[in-house]
Amino acid sequence: MEDTILVTGGAGFIGSNFILRQLAQDPSSILNLDKLTYAGNLRNLDAIAGDRRYEFVHGDIGDRPLVRRLLQDRAPRGVVHFAAESHVDRSIRGPDDFIRTNVDGTFALLEEVRAHYESLPELARRAFRFLHVSTDEVYGSLESADAPFSESTPYAPNSPYAASKAASDHLVRAYHHTYGLPTLTTNCSNNYGPFQFPEKLIPLVILNARDRKPLPVYGDGQNVRDWLYVEDHCAAIATVLANGRVGETYNIGGWNEKRNLDIVQLICDLLDEIEGRSGAPRRELISFVRDRPGHDRRYAMDASKIERELGWHPRETFETGIRKTVHWYLQNATWAKDVTSGSYRQWIETHYSS
Ligand code: NAD
Ligand code: TYD
């Protein structure tokens, strides 16, 4: 494959949206390395199954011989690193996989990419990029009056997930400063949109509200997150990959802070509007449940650096994005049914029964 980008974790929520968008908008080929954990789903990529510019490899980013072989054989011009364990609640119940993939896996990937980069001729080295996809959760929690996180906000991760992502961000930074690896890091706020695994707040609430099941809200529901439609995040990543300054980090966000309870109520109202109100208003399904341990109160992102330097801006407002998302889950009931069987049911039972 000529002009290839190696994507890790491309069968997950954001990675699959990125691959679909990239193949539609860019002539590069994509090599997708994914372990297919519970969160990885090849059906997300059905639309490009026959595309000659796309290839899937089933494997672990921590498998160094495999990664070495892929880098040698395909000589990608860049790596976009999505692969991670990504769910805070799972990290609280069992942090091991988070350290294994997010820390050890990123380290293994960086080591192999560094060796590959150093073997490249000068011209190829100049074009090469390693883009690390990270999160706003590395910055910790804000009080209501605090300014949003900027790229210079000190790291203060609070969950095992956030700590493992912070560790990986630091490794990426070190590989740039020590070895000159041409890295880029993006830290993004909460994403929502098609193909998100329904253990995260928005798809969980859409599917439960559709089926008139209880809508679990942690604590008092006043925790605040900044929400960005996934396609806007993917566009930002493509922009940073093409034009970002090597060694820099870019915060990505939607300028869209919302309280959890407001989001859940908005989804209820949308479903009442779309599906019709044959029974009681769906807001009555809201059920306040035990809070997440160490639950961060507020995240907010200052995305002015990427806007100013690279001209990226979110296209969707929350109102347009959430409407599209609700319609997508209603229209893709088979996708949702397929991913909410087996291990999914087990997670829901264990997590919400206590
Ligand atoms: P996801 O959990 O939906 O997908 C993760 C993908 O990585 C899955 O396809 C999984 O099979 C794969 N994977 C896991 N371990 C692997 C391993 N060892 N080797 C190869 N593949 C492996 O996650 P997501 O929501 O798409 O997030 C993607 C990235 O974006 C993550 O790094 C996450 O930290 C970051 N991020 C997510 C959000 C969000 O709101 N979802 C926000 C900001 C940043
Ligand atoms: P989540 O989608 O897990 O993302 P993150 O923890 O990475 O921000 O959760 C978003 C918010 O919604 C977070 O404050 C926790 C809350 N939440 C609930 O209130 N109920 C739920 O069932 C879930 C999954 C999350």
Side-chain angles (χ1 to χ4, degrees):
M1 290 198 288
E2 292 290 302
D3 185 19
T4 300
I5 297 169
L6 171 62
V7 171
T8 71
F13 164 47
I14 307 173
S16 56
N17 276 285
F18 177 79
I19 291 175
L20 294 172
R21 183 184 183 282
Q22 196 69 8
L23 283 175
Q25 304 213 347
D26 189 275
S28 307
S29 297
I30 302 272
L31 179 62
N32 175 15
L33 171 63
D34 197 296
K35 189 180 173 183
L36 297 182
T37 67
Y38 78 94
N41 182 1
L42 286 179
R43 295 212 49 192
N44 299 0
L45 296 158
D46 275 353
I48 47 145
D51 192 320
R52 288 177 48 211
R53 291 182 299 136
Y54 170 70
E55 190 183 341
F56 173 70
V57 175
H58 185 197
D60 192 320
I61 53 166
D63 180 346
R64 289 181 59 168
L66 171 66
V67 172
R68 192 174 311 150
R69 187 160 48 76
L70 292 176
L71 291 168
Q72 278 168 1
D73 290 356
R74 315 301 161 85
R77 70 172 165 90
V79 177
V80 182
H81 177 33
F82 292 97
E85 289 292 334
S86 72
H87 188 191
V88 174
D89 293 320
R90 285 187 189 252
S91 85
I92 294 168
R93 283 187 187 269
D96 304 50
D97 283 346
F98 288 72
I99 304 304
R100 203 169 297 125
T101 286
N102 302 3
V103 186
D104 296 344
T106 300
F107 165 68
L109 181 66
L110 280 167
E111 272 294 273
E112 289 307 322
V113 171
R114 173 169 80 90
H116 173 69
Y117 172 73
E118 286 171 354
S119 75
L120 291 174
E122 173 63 19
L123 210 61
R125 252 199 270 181
R126 245 186 270 155
F128 191 85
R129 296 289 180 272
F130 180 94
L131 192 154
H132 174 59
V133 180
S134 192
T135 165
D136 59 358
E137 305 198 22
V138 296
Y139 298 121
S141 185
L142 294 167
E143 300 294 332
S144 54
D146 289 344
F149 302 129
S150 76
E151 288 80 358
S152 56
T153 302
Y155 273 32
N158 288 324
S159 70
Y161 164 66
S164 68
K165 291 298 290 188
S168 66
D169 293 9
H170 289 326
L171 283 169
V172 171
R173 176 189 160 88
Y175 271 64
H176 173 66
H177 281 266
T178 305
Y179 304 115
L181 191 69
T183 62
L184 299 154
T185 297
T186 55
N187 293 86
C188 188
S189 58
N190 283 56
N191 283 214
Y192 67 100
F195 302 118
Q196 186 166 32
F197 194 71
E199 65 184 5
K200 303 278 174 81
L201 179 71
I202 287 182
L204 180 87
V205 166
I206 295 172
L207 294 180
N208 281 14
R210 180 197 65 184
D211 298 342
R212 293 191 176 276
K213 289 183 181 161
L215 309 176
V217 173
Y218 297 165
D220 61 5
Q222 300 302 304
N223 302 66
V224 171
R225 298 290 182 263
D226 173 72
W227 292 93
L228 181 69
Y229 191 62
V230 64
E231 272 183 28
D232 280 327
H233 184 194
C234 294
I237 290 170
T239 302
V240 173
L241 184 65
N243 300 318
R245 282 189 290 137
V246 161
E248 292 290 311
T249 72
Y250 293 90
N251 281 0
I252 304 169
W255 301 105
N256 174 52
E257 289 181 55
K258 295 260 184 240
R259 285 185 300 234
N260 293 340
L261 184 58
D262 293 337
I263 291 193
V264 176
Q265 288 176 336
L266 177 66
I267 293 172
C268 289
D269 296 348
L270 269 175
L271 274 158
D272 284 345
E273 178 198 312
I274 297 166
E275 299 261 89
R277 274 249 315 256
S278 52
R282 285 174 170 82
R283 284 181 180 219
E284 290 180 14
L285 299 166
I286 291 172
S287 153
F288 290 93
V289 300
R290 199 183 62 173
D291 208 355
R292 170 187 284 172
H295 196 174
D296 284 340
R297 195 65 174 165
R298 174 177 166 238
Y299 303 143
M301 276 305 233
D302 177 348
S304 49
K305 178 178 172 182
I306 185 173
E307 295 188 342
R308 190 179 58 248
E309 288 190 10
L310 305 180
W312 170 87
H313 296 276
R315 287 197 167 176
E316 298 291 340
T317 64
F318 191 69
E319 287 62 35
T320 59
I322 194 72
R323 210 169 254 282
K324 279 190 184 178
T325 305
V326 168
H327 278 292
W328 188 87
Y329 278 90
L330 294 179
Q331 284 159 6
N332 289 274
T334 316
W335 180 91
K337 188 159 173 274
D338 288 351
V339 300
T340 53
S341 57
S343 65
Y344 174 81
R345 281 211 202 103
Q346 209 180 325
W347 163 257
I348 296 290
E349 267 162 37
T350 317
H351 184 58
Y352 293 101
S353 66
S354 41

